[in-house]
Amino acid sequence: TRQPIASPVRPAIADRAPVDLPSHALLRAQDGGHLPVDDMAAPIVDDHGVLLGAVLVLRDMSERLAADGRRRALEEQLREMQKTQALGTLAGGIAHDFNNVLGSIIGNTVLALQEAEAGIDAVERIAQIDAAARRARRLVRQI
């Protein structure tokens, strides 16, 4: 949290040089509240270097700080959306690969059954089913 700070007018007068305060200093209002400001104090001197006074410039930073907060919130929302999109893309790729493996298993199972019914040796089809099932298991383990 920011803490209220002393006026920069005294150092500007004492040093006879402009004084900037850190960004977003807090100005204590009469109602006890605080207002974030950027400010600067500078001495006013005549042509002979005689100090006539000082000028203090204050700029209310409330709206800018609020806008910065909204921007940060939107940036965080965008990061979360990008993470979700990346996960969706990854899940879609995994689902596509897994669907391809399942298609191989199902297709070879149908062919093996047909070959077995026709009295043809289905060992090669069963080996392909086994290989596809193992690819599916590796894919699931990678997840």
Side-chain angles (χ1 to χ4, degrees), residues 54-113:
V55 63
L56 179 62
V57 179
L58 301 172
R59 183 170 47 148
D60 181 354
M61 298 300 291
S62 299
E63 287 183 31
R64 181 166 180 193
L65 290 175
D68 287 348
R70 288 189 299 272
R71 180 186 47 79
R72 281 191 299 277
L74 286 172
E75 287 171 350
E76 180 60 28
Q77 224 176 0
L78 176 61
R79 277 191 295 277
E80 289 302 316
M81 287 172 48
Q82 288 171 333
K83 287 180 193 176
T84 301
Q85 183 180 11
L87 280 173
T89 301
L90 177 63
I94 292 169
H96 178 76
D97 290 350
F98 199 73
N99 192 45
N100 287 344
V101 173
L102 288 176
S104 175
I105 291 170
I106 292 167
N108 279 306
T109 301
V110 169
L111 291 174
L113 288 172

Side-chain angles (χ1 to χ4, degrees), residues 11-12 28 39 45-47 51 55 77 80-81 85 101 104 114 128 132:
R28 188 173 304 147
D39 64 356
V45 293
D46 66 13
D47 292 338
L51 180 66
V55 63
Q77 224 176 0
E80 289 302 316
M81 287 172 48
Q85 183 180 11
V101 173
S104 175
Q114 289 173 351
Q128 290 175 356

Side-chain angles (χ1 to χ4, degrees), residues 115-129:
E115 288 173 359
E117 287 174 357
I120 301 170
D121 186 11
V123 172
E124 186 171 326
R125 294 284 178 205
I126 293 170
Q128 290 175 356
I129 293 168

